[in-house]
């Protein structure tokens, strides 16, 4: 970013607010969630949110969203052993099994089924 759009922005506070939107309000469940709508919720422009994610977290919006959704899926795979892998993927905001598997492998380095076998709770 040759000149920053974040001069007037408290980046740490924005990241905390973003984290709260994702973890507490679970905005990642919204299938229509996009950079512009999330930026608006944070009272930022799309450019500002994009720069914030890239400069502070080292990733773009779509990668960030995939990572948040995969983290939620990892939690669910462990907490709900009877839920099918596909239902877990759909319930955390992925639109198809192929999207879910591709993102999960990219982020976690394994398939959802393998992850559950490795990390699942055994009674």
């Amino acid at each position: 970013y040759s000149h920053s759009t974040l001069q007037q922005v408290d980046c740490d506070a924005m990241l905390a607010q973003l984290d709260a939107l994702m973890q507490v309000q679970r905005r990642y469940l919204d299938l229509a969630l996009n950079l512009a709508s999330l930026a608006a919720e944070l009272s930022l422009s799309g450019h500002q949110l994009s720069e914030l994610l890239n400069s502070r977290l080292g990733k773009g919006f779509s990668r960030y969203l995939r990572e948040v959704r995969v983290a939620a899926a990892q939690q669910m795979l462990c907490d709900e052993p009877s839920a099918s892998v596909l239902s877990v993927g759909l319930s955390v905001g992925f639109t198809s099994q192929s999207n879910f598997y591709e993102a999960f492998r990219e982020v976690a380095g394994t398939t959802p089924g393998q992850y559950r076998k490795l990390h699942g709770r055994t009674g």
Side-chain angles (χ1 to χ4, degrees):
Y1 294 91
S2 51
H3 71 260
S4 175
T5 59
L6 298 173
Q7 277 116 356
Q8 308 301 313
V9 174
D10 180 340
C11 294
D12 293 330
M14 271 306 133
L15 287 171
Q17 207 175 325
L18 175 62
D19 195 53
L21 280 175
M22 289 300 179
Q23 302 310 322
V24 179
Q25 295 181 28
R26 299 173 65 185
R27 292 291 292 119
Y28 61 85
L29 296 176
D30 179 357
L31 298 181
L33 186 67
N34 60 35
L35 179 70
S37 63
L38 190 58
E41 285 187 60
L42 294 164
S43 304
L44 295 173
S45 71
H47 285 295
Q48 286 174 312
L49 179 55
S50 181
E51 183 182 341
L52 183 68
L53 290 170
N54 280 290
S55 64
R56 288 305 194 86
L57 303 179
K59 60 192 74 154
F61 173 74
S62 59
R63 173 73 190 196
Y64 171 76
L65 185 55
R66 278 197 308 275
E67 288 180 7
V68 169
R69 285 176 172 161
V70 167
Q74 288 174 317
Q75 187 66 53
M76 243 182 114
L77 285 166
C78 294
D79 292 349
E80 299 179 28
S82 61
S84 76
V85 168
L86 177 59
S87 72
V88 168
L90 296 175
S91 70
V92 298
F94 288 98
T95 52
S96 70
Q97 182 170 348
S98 59
N99 270 351
F100 176 48
Y101 272 76
E102 186 182 318
F104 199 97
R105 261 199 303 272
E106 177 193 327
V107 172
T110 183
T111 66
Q114 289 167 324
Y115 181 88
R116 178 182 261 166
K117 277 194 192 103
L118 286 170
H119 301 278
R121 317 222 192 300
T122 50

